[in-house]
Each structure stands twice: as structure tokens, then as C-alpha cells.
Amino acid sequence: MHIITVDTGVKLEVFDWGGSGRPLVLLTGLGASAHGFEQFASKLTGTYPAYGITRRGFGASSSPASGCSADRLGDDVLAVIDSLKLDKPILAGHSIAEQEVSSIGSRPPKKSLDSSTWTPDTASQFMTARGETFGSTWSNSKRSLPNYIPA
């Protein structure tokens, strides 16, 4: 785990699960720590170096009194990407992380980023499509699995 400074007096908890290939950055849902992605991320490291970011106010990340707008949270994600020197990372956000992903996606490109928003159903379906199980943390759904992680 890394603690990365993203703003004056604000540090974020960032997990690095290793792996090789194009970096994949996992963004948590509201109230969650990136530690919750550990089992899922370990299934991805054969194809992607996987990272997880815990947003402000949760886990070991700082809890500032202000600065939780979608744009500020997007700035935090970009600061982590810069700090880790990630090249063309893929962003995958769970639930409310859609806000950070949308904020970053709406800006003029600073870096080449691919992004998608994952639901709990999507994560479970991704694991099922790989012939693996992720456990009861993620629910199952009958929807088809979109191609969320490009090769």
C-alpha cells in the first residue's frame, strides 16, 4: 500500500497489486476502501498491473472538511496516476466512482485514458466469463458482460 499526496494536506490510500501490461486503476464505490478489490485484483494481475484508489474520507485516506466534488475527486485520480507514472491506464469505477470517471472523461485529454464504470454485477460477470468466482461480495446478474477491459 502507498500513501500518495494529492493536494495540500490530503493523502490517499493506494494499493498496488503488481502485474504486467497496461495499468488498470480500480476506483471504489461510496464508503469503500480499495482493499475491497484485493481478491478481484489478484485475478487480473496476469494481464494488467492493478491499482486501487480509496477516495477522500474513507479507509486510510485523508478526510478533509471540503473538496469532494466530482472534479476534485477526478483531480485526485489524475494526481495518483501522475505520481505512479502510469502510462495510458484503464480506469474502472464501481458505482459512484462513475462521477470521477465522467469528470476525467469530460476534460481535454492530458493523458490517454480508457474508462468504464463497473457495477457489482459487471465484476461478477467478468469473473464468471473467465471461469472464476469472486465470492458473495459481488452479486450475480443475467445481463450480458460488455467488453469493459480491452486487450
Side-chain angles (χ1 to χ4, degrees):
M1 180 184 73
H2 304 280
I3 299 293
I4 296 178
T5 301
V6 295
D7 196 11
T8 304
V10 180
K11 298 177 182 185
L12 298 186
E13 172 184 62
V14 179
F15 290 86
D16 177 351
W17 292 286
S20 61
R22 189 167 175 195
L24 173 64
V25 178
L26 303 171
L27 305 174
T28 63
L30 188 63
S33 163
H35 176 70
F37 284 127
E38 192 165 300
Q39 184 181 5
F40 181 58
S42 71
K43 305 288 187 183
L44 300 171
T45 57
T47 310
Y48 305 95
Y51 300 87
I53 302 174
T54 303
R55 79 174 42 79
R56 296 170 177 230
F58 302 99
S61 295
S62 300
S63 296
S66 63
C68 291
S69 70
D71 288 338
R72 178 62 254 179
L73 296 174
D75 291 343
D76 290 351
V77 171
L78 292 174
V80 169
I81 290 169
D82 287 343
S83 176
L84 295 174
K85 297 178 176 32
L86 301 181
D87 184 35
K88 299 179 183 175
I90 301 163
L91 302 180
H94 169 65
S95 187
I96 199 164
E98 170 188 1
Q99 292 182 0
E100 287 109 309
V101 173
S102 293
S103 171
I104 293 167
S106 70
R107 303 173 191 197
K110 178 180 177 185
K111 292 182 173 281
S112 179
L113 298 170
D114 285 335
S115 60
S116 61
T117 302
W118 285 33
T119 65
D121 304 322
T122 305
S124 175
Q125 290 168 4
F126 177 75
M127 298 304 289
T128 301
R130 291 176 53 121
E132 301 166 344
T133 58
F134 185 61
S136 60
T137 304
W138 301 88
S139 64
N140 286 313
S141 167
K142 296 187 188 272
R143 287 182 274 157
S144 62
L145 174 67
N147 182 18
Y148 278 93
I149 300 184

